[in-house]
């Protein structure tokens, strides 16, 4: 799947994350930790986003066969989803889903919108 991101969309998403971090730093920090765990385990950001948003993981499903690793990952995502501030994060992700969870994750980690403009292949 190919997604295209405009600079304005990316800049708006970046500002939304800055506001979330300022207003609700605990949920923002948990989300950042999930992003870092996803990257460390070499799972896809689309897989992470689909799990967080209760979407079909279908083609994004993890190739990992280690049940323990998956259980730890799922537990951390459930911990995020049970936070009382999760609805704010969920709404932000829903609002900017068209950018791809990969771009959203990179913005949350501090990457500049200029580096993410243009088409992205989502795997």
């Amino acid at each position: 799947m190919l997604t295209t991101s405009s600079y304005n969309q990316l800049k708006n998403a970046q500002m939304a994350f800055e506001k979330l971090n300022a207003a609700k730093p605990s949920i923002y920090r948990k989300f950042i930790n999930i992003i870092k765990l996803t990257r460390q385990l070499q799972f896809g950001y689309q897989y992470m986003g689909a799990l967080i948003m209760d979407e079909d993981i279908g083609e994004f499903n993890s190739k990992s066969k280690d049940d323990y690793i998956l259980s730890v990952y799922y537990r951390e995502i459930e911990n995020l989803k049970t936070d009382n501030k999760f609805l704010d994060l969920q709404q932000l992700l829903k609002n900017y889903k068209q950018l791809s969870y990969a771009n959203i994750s990179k913005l949350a980690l501090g990457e500049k919108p200029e580096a993410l403009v243009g088409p992205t292949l989502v795997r």
Side-chain angles (χ1 to χ4, degrees), residues 5-7 10-11 14 107 110-118:
S5 305
S6 76
Y7 176 76
L10 292 163
K11 191 66 179 165
Q14 179 188 38
L107 285 171
E111 195 158 330
K112 302 288 182 216
E114 299 85 23
L116 303 174
V117 173

Side-chain angles (χ1 to χ4, degrees), residues 20 24 79 83 99:
L20 180 68
K24 299 181 171 84
N79 184 30
D83 189 292
L99 296 177

Side-chain angles (χ1 to χ4, degrees), residues 17 30 32 34 57 61 69 86 93 100 102 104-105 122-123:
F17 274 113
K30 284 182 181 181
I32 293 298
I34 292 291
I57 57 173
N61 200 356
I69 298 296
F86 175 69
L93 294 175
S100 84
I104 289 170
S105 298
V122 176
R123 314 184 245 155

Side-chain angles (χ1 to χ4, degrees), residues 17 27 31 34 45-57 60 73 77-78 80-82 85-98 100-102 104-105:
F17 274 113
I27 193 70
F31 182 56
I34 292 291
Y45 291 124
Q46 291 303 120
Y47 177 64
M48 173 203 72
L51 285 173
I52 290 172
M53 298 298 287
D54 293 323
E55 299 169 352
D56 179 28
I57 57 173
F60 308 119
Y73 188 66
I77 291 209
E78 283 306 311
L80 174 76
K81 290 165 68 173
T82 57
K85 297 173 185 85
F86 175 69
L87 292 177
D88 297 311
L89 173 64
Q90 188 178 38
Q91 188 60 49
L92 192 154
L93 294 175
K94 185 178 178 182
N95 290 346
Y96 294 102
K97 180 182 173 182
Q98 77 278 5
S100 84
Y101 294 125
I104 289 170
S105 298

Side-chain angles (χ1 to χ4, degrees), residues 1 9 18 23 28-30 35 38 57 63 71 75 82-83 88 93-94 98 103 107 112 114 119 121:
M1 172 170 62
Q9 290 172 317
E18 289 171 359
Y28 179 80
R29 174 62 29 214
K30 284 182 181 181
I35 293 171
T38 300
I57 57 173
K63 305 296 186 249
S71 71
R75 185 174 56 236
T82 57
D83 189 292
D88 297 311
L93 294 175
K94 185 178 178 182
Q98 77 278 5
N103 281 345
L107 285 171
K112 302 288 182 216
E114 299 85 23
L121 180 62

